[in-house]
Amino acid sequence: MYTTDLRTKEQKQKDQREAIAQVGEDDIAFQARIDDDQFIEPKDYMPEAYRKTLIRQIAQHAHSEIVGMLPEGNWVTRAPSLRRKLILIAKIQDEAGHGLYLYSAAETLGVSRDDLVQQLHEGKAKYSTIFNYPSLNWADIGAIGWLVDGAAITNQIPLCRTSYGPYARAMVRVCKEESFHQRQGYELMMAMAKGSEAQKQMAQDALNRWWWPSLMMFGPPDEESTHTAQSMAWKIKRFTNDELRQRFIDATIPQAEALGLTVPDPDLKWNEERGHYDYGDIDWDEFWSVVRGDGICARDRIQARVKAYDDGAWVREAAEAYAAKQQQSAEVA
Amino acid sequence: MSNQWDLYEVFIRSKNGTSHKHAGSIHAADANMAIDNARDLYTRRSEGTSIWVVRSKDITASDPGEAAALFEPAESKIYRHPTFYDIPKDVPNI
C-alpha cells in the first residue's frame, strides 16, 4: 500500500533495537492511552519510535500521492473526450491535494516539508511500488482508478481511525475524495468493456497488467511483515496486510465479473468454507525488486518530479519577491 | 531549495450560520496566497463560503502536558451542570 513498510530487514532490526532500549514510564502511560482508543495529538508525549514510524509512513504516503499523479498525467493530453479529460484533471488535482494534506500531517511531527521533498527528489524516500509501472493504454486509466484507488480505499478507511490525530483527519478527507476516483475508473472500464472488441481487449490487457501489482500494494505477507505487530499495538495500523488484501480481492472479483473481464489468476476460486476467495501466489521477488528501484518507470518518475520542481522555481521566486514588496509598501504606508 | 514558506492554519466556514472550523494547514509566501491555496486545497467541492488563514507561528496553544492542571478548576464544580439538581419528577417544564 502507499503505507507499506519498505525498509530493509537490517533497518527494521536496527529501529526495533532502538525502540526497545527506550521504554520508560511515559511510554507505559502512552500505551495506556492508545489501549483506551484515545487519539494522540502533535504536542502530546510520544515515544521516539512512534514518531519515527509515523514520519516514515506519512511521508511515504504523501510521496505516493505526489508520484501517483505521473502515470495519469501521461494521459491528460490524449484523453478521448473533453468529459474524460476534465475528470482526469480533477482526479490528478485531488492526488496533489492528498499529498499536501499528508505532508501537513507529517510536519506536525517536527519534520520540514522541504526536507521531505528533498528526500524524494534525491531518491532517498520510498513511495508505493505501484507507480513504477507504466500506463500503456487508455484503459490503464480506468484500471488505475478502479484497482489502484480501490486498493488505496481498502487500506485508507481503517486509517481514518489511526491513533495519530492529524493523520486520521487527513485520511477522512482523502477517503471522501477517493470514492470519486474509484467510480470514475470503473465507469471508464465499463465503457471499454462494453465497447468494440478492440476496446474490450484493451480493458482486459489493462486488468492483466494491473491486477498483481495492485495486490502487492498491500505489502508482504503477514509472516514476513515483522513491524506489523508494533504498528498494530500502537494502533497506527488496524488490520494486517493479508487481511486487507483479502478484503480487496473479495470486493473486487464481483466487479470484474460485472465487466465481463477475467482476473489473470488461474488459482482464483471462491472458498465456501472460508467465505473468501482463494488466490494464487504473488511474485514477491518482483515486489522487492521494484522496492529496490528496478521498476520500469522508477528513474522517469523522479526525473519528472525534479524537473517539475526546478521548472517551477521562477514562480516561487516571483511569489517571494511579490510578498516581500507588498510587505515593504505596507510598512511604508 | 528556496526558503521554506510560512505555514498557515486554515479555517473554513462551511455555510453562513456556522463558525469557522480548522480544516488543515498550507504553505504560502503571503496571506493572500494562503487564501488562494486554501481555496484550491480545502474547498474543491464547495466546502466553504469563507476562509480565514493565520500564520501557525502566531497561534499560542496550551500545553497538553499541563492540561490536567489547566482544566482542573472545572472538574470540581459539578454544580454547574443541570443534572446536579434533584427536581421531583412530577414538577413539569423544568
Side-chain angles (χ1 to χ4, degrees):
Chain A
M1 184 40 52
Y2 297 172
T3 57
T4 294
D5 192 340
L6 300 176
R7 289 174 299 169
T8 62
K9 209 170 176 183
E10 291 72 31
Q11 187 61 42
K12 282 180 192 170
Q13 284 168 348
K14 182 171 167 277
D15 291 349
Q16 203 164 17
R17 276 198 303 276
E18 285 173 12
I20 291 167
Q22 290 169 343
V23 176
E25 250 176 60
D26 286 342
D27 299 302
I28 293 164
F30 172 84
Q31 189 62 48
R33 290 187 62 195
I34 297 274
D35 293 342
D36 189 34
D37 271 335
Q38 293 182 28
F39 285 102
I40 306 302
E41 294 294 342
K43 293 194 168 145
D44 293 352
Y45 172 80
M46 62 187 84
E48 235 358 80
Y50 176 85
R51 183 188 301 273
K52 258 175 94 172
T53 300
L54 274 172
I55 290 174
R56 177 179 51 73
Q57 177 169 330
I58 300 173
Q60 181 181 310
H61 197 159
H63 297 325
S64 299
E65 300 284 354
I66 297 297
V67 177
M69 291 190 279
L70 298 171
E72 300 186 309
N74 182 31
W75 281 93
V76 169
T77 56
R78 289 175 288 161
S81 68
L82 181 59
R83 176 178 182 270
R84 292 287 177 198
K85 184 183 289 205
L86 290 172
I87 292 169
L88 184 55
I89 292 171
K91 178 178 190 297
I92 293 170
Q93 193 187 10
D94 276 354
E95 306 298 0
H98 297 176
L100 295 181
Y101 305 150
L102 286 158
Y103 282 131
S104 293
E107 280 177 289
T108 63
L109 292 158
V111 283
S112 93
R113 183 171 313 191
D114 282 0
D115 287 346
L116 295 178
V117 170
Q118 195 163 0
Q119 285 164 13
L120 176 67
H121 290 182
E122 289 174 355
K124 290 180 187 158
K126 300 285 185 198
Y127 55 86
S128 178
T129 49
I130 195 81
F131 301 118
N132 284 338
Y133 291 88
S135 46
L136 300 178
N137 88 50
W138 169 249
D140 285 33
I141 296 304
I144 290 172
W146 171 37
L147 299 174
V148 175
D149 289 275
I153 291 170
T154 308
N155 179 260
Q156 287 167 342
I157 286 176
L159 284 175
C160 295
R161 292 186 297 125
T162 193
S163 59
Y164 187 57
Y167 191 23
R169 291 192 286 276
M171 281 298 108
V172 170
R173 293 192 68 90
V174 168
C175 284
K176 277 186 192 161
E177 298 176 354
E178 291 282 9
S179 178
F180 143 58
H181 298 177
Q182 193 190 20
R183 288 171 68 102
Q184 66 81 34
Y186 191 78
E187 191 214 49
L188 198 164
M189 287 302 270
M190 281 198 314
M192 299 293 281
K194 312 278 181 229
S196 68
E197 195 47 41
Q199 284 176 308
K200 188 170 178 184
Q201 275 175 19
M202 287 166 74
Q204 182 64 54
D205 173 50
L207 172 56
N208 291 348
R209 282 180 291 105
W210 289 95
W211 176 252
W212 292 108
S214 298
L215 298 189
M216 291 176 202
M217 286 172 70
F218 293 94
D222 293 347
E223 66 263 24
E224 287 172 35
S225 182
T226 49
H227 86 301
T228 292
Q230 179 62 77
S231 277
M232 301 265 291
W234 279 332
K235 295 189 184 172
I236 292 175
K237 203 170 167 164
R238 295 270 182 171
F239 299 96
T240 69
N241 296 351
D242 285 334
E243 283 168 345
L244 292 168
R245 186 165 17 244
Q246 184 72 60
R247 190 178 293 183
F248 171 71
I249 292 169
D250 291 347
T252 307
I253 297 303
Q255 296 165 357
E257 286 168 357
L259 290 170
L261 300 177
T262 311
V263 170
D265 179 357
D267 296 326
L268 186 104
K269 62 170 187 297
W270 178 253
N271 183 326
E272 193 68 51
E273 201 176 317
R274 288 203 308 130
H276 294 291
Y277 283 94
D278 290 337
Y279 54 97
D281 291 335
I282 295 173
D283 182 355
W284 292 112
D285 290 341
E286 175 180 320
F287 173 78
W288 287 113
S289 109
V290 178
V291 168
R292 283 192 305 270
D294 299 339
I296 298 174
C297 301
R299 187 192 302 237
D300 288 356
R301 298 296 185 230
I302 294 304
Q303 275 176 357
R305 277 309 315 151
V306 171
K307 181 175 186 308
Y309 188 84
D310 291 346
D311 287 353
W314 71 271
V315 179
R316 294 191 297 277
E317 283 160 18
E320 283 167 26
Y322 178 77
K325 197 173 158 189
Q326 292 296 107
Q327 196 177 354
Q328 269 173 6
S329 48
E331 279 161 13
V332 170
Chain B
M1 292 278 157
S2 62
N3 300 326
Q4 180 153 296
W5 290 350
D6 280 337
L7 189 66
Y8 287 81
E9 298 303 320
V10 178
F11 300 82
I12 309 259
R13 187 203 296 283
S14 58
K15 57 177 194 266
N16 280 6
T18 63
S19 34
H20 288 75
K21 194 174 162 216
H22 187 237
S25 49
I26 195 137
H27 285 265
D30 61 31
N32 285 329
M33 185 195 251
I35 286 186
D36 289 344
N37 288 355
R39 189 270 318 264
D40 290 344
L41 189 58
Y42 293 108
T43 67
R44 285 197 301 284
R45 290 177 175 79
S46 314
E47 292 97 333
T49 56
S50 164
I51 299 175
W52 288 350
V53 293
V54 57
R55 273 197 189 87
S56 308
K57 63 184 178 198
D58 291 337
I59 290 179
T60 307
S62 64
D63 177 356
E66 304 290 322
L70 186 65
F71 296 110
E72 187 280 329
E75 301 264 315
S76 56
K77 296 178 180 60
I78 52 170
Y79 48 83
R80 287 179 170 170
H81 296 277
T83 47
F84 177 76
Y85 302 93
D86 285 328
I87 309 284
K89 278 201 173 63
D90 50 2
V91 178
N93 303 328
I94 181 162

